[in-house]
Amino acid sequence: MEWNEILTAIFLALGVLISLTGSLGLLRMPDFYTRLHTAGKSDSLAQTFILGGLIFVTDNWQVAVRLLMIILLLFFTAPTATHAITKAARLDGLEPWRRG
Amino acid sequence: MRYLIFVVLLAGFFGLLSGQFHNGFLMVVGALCIALIALISARMALVDEESYPDLGTWVRMSLYVPYLFWQIVLSNWDVFKRVWDPALPVSPQLVRAPFSTRTAFGTVTFANSITLTPGTVTIEVLEGEFLIHALTTEAADGVKDGSMEAQVKRLEGAIK
């Protein structure tokens, strides 16, 4: 394998691991709000690793720039979406779970 | 001047996404679209100092992004450990954290940064404070210690 393929493999593996953690958290967390913590946000780092890792194997600088733009776009939209969902739950009167 | 930057950015965006520089028809259509968008944006007064800040803000922004990214990595690691821990050591709670950012841009960046770092989600922006859902006590304390706010305020800089 070329060095860039190895780099991509490492980035993809990290991204997959973080995604898996997000999914596991979704199953294990006790309520809606805590699930959003793992689901909505492990994604922000996972997508950066997966899309960022792909940049190393593009044969075209335009594709690399487009990937960077997608990463940036998700960085702005992901927290906004999480916030919108959380606020909707709050307005609906959903009480957060508490230990004990 | 702002409209010049606006048009250059639109042209760059179109060029990057299409990449068909050899296709004369597409380039002409692109130029027409940019002219139309600039016209509509001018009528709607969308291009103001907030959406097109000065150069200094861009420089400070490029300093802020690596800081934010590092915070995201750190807190992801924290959530990562807790999710895989058989005991699931979380103690979710609502906290109120005051903020004193001066601009809408700064407040939005601050709120989004809190949401981006795992362990905390901004639920609501109230008068002078955020309502935050924190996954752990440590995450709640982390928001209140003010280090991120200091960074955001540095980012705000001298916007009037």
Side-chain angles (χ1 to χ4, degrees):
Chain A
M1 285 211 293
E2 299 286 321
W3 67 270
N4 61 337
E5 289 177 1
I6 295 169
L7 213 54
T8 300
I10 294 171
F11 271 70
L12 288 185
L14 275 172
V16 167
L17 195 61
I18 296 165
S19 275
L20 181 67
T21 307
S23 311
L24 184 69
L26 190 70
L27 292 173
R28 292 197 68 196
M29 288 296 173
D31 80 335
F32 178 79
Y33 293 105
T34 47
R35 282 180 177 155
L36 267 184
H37 279 287
T38 55
K41 291 175 304 168
S42 59
D43 281 1
S44 63
L45 194 61
Q47 62 95 359
T48 310
F49 275 125
I50 290 174
L51 294 175
L54 289 175
I55 289 177
F56 297 110
V57 287
T58 51
D59 48 3
N60 185 336
W61 65 271
Q62 288 179 355
V63 177
V65 173
R66 279 171 214 159
L67 281 172
L68 273 177
M69 285 165 96
I70 296 171
I71 292 175
L72 267 179
L73 177 74
L74 285 174
F75 248 83
F76 284 103
T77 52
T80 311
T82 308
H83 166 73
I85 298 170
T86 321
K87 192 171 180 183
R90 166 115 187 128
L91 287 175
D92 213 38
L94 183 65
E95 287 298 319
W97 176 88
R98 281 179 161 279
R99 187 174 284 282
Chain B
M1 184 58 201
R2 259 182 231 131
Y3 279 91
L4 188 65
I5 300 172
F6 183 56
V7 168
V8 169
L9 280 178
L10 280 178
F13 188 66
F14 180 83
L16 276 174
L17 289 190
S18 85
Q20 310 274 323
F21 296 108
H22 52 83
N23 189 326
F25 171 72
L26 277 180
M27 287 297 116
V28 171
V29 172
L32 285 177
C33 284
I34 290 167
L36 192 63
I37 291 168
L39 202 71
I40 294 170
S41 304
R43 274 186 63 91
M44 291 174 75
L46 286 178
V47 184
D48 53 15
E49 69 271 8
E50 193 169 13
S51 49
Y52 285 88
D54 53 33
L55 191 68
T57 307
W58 285 106
V59 174
R60 288 193 294 273
M61 194 78 184
S62 59
L63 291 175
Y64 179 73
V65 169
Y67 159 79
L68 180 63
F69 187 76
W70 183 238
Q71 292 302 310
I72 291 171
V73 172
L74 284 183
S75 46
N76 252 296
W77 173 237
D78 186 57
V79 171
F80 188 99
K81 280 186 301 189
R82 286 170 198 277
V83 167
W84 289 94
D85 190 321
L88 199 65
V90 296
S91 49
Q93 52 198 281
L94 288 179
V95 288
R96 286 165 188 273
F99 67 91
S100 55
T101 47
R102 285 174 289 111
T103 58
F105 167 70
T107 308
V108 169
T109 308
F110 192 18
N112 267 355
S113 303
I114 290 172
T115 304
L116 264 176
T117 45
T120 45
V121 167
T122 309
I123 298 179
E124 229 174 328
V125 180
L126 309 164
E127 281 297 320
E129 60 180 9
F130 292 133
L131 184 61
I132 291 164
H133 185 269
L135 195 57
T136 61
T137 313
E138 291 83 358
D141 293 341
V143 172
K144 284 188 281 191
D145 82 351
S147 60
M148 183 177 268
E149 185 176 21
Q151 292 284 339
V152 175
K153 282 178 134 174
R154 215 176 67 183
L155 168 70
E156 271 188 324
I159 302 174
K160 272 124 219 141

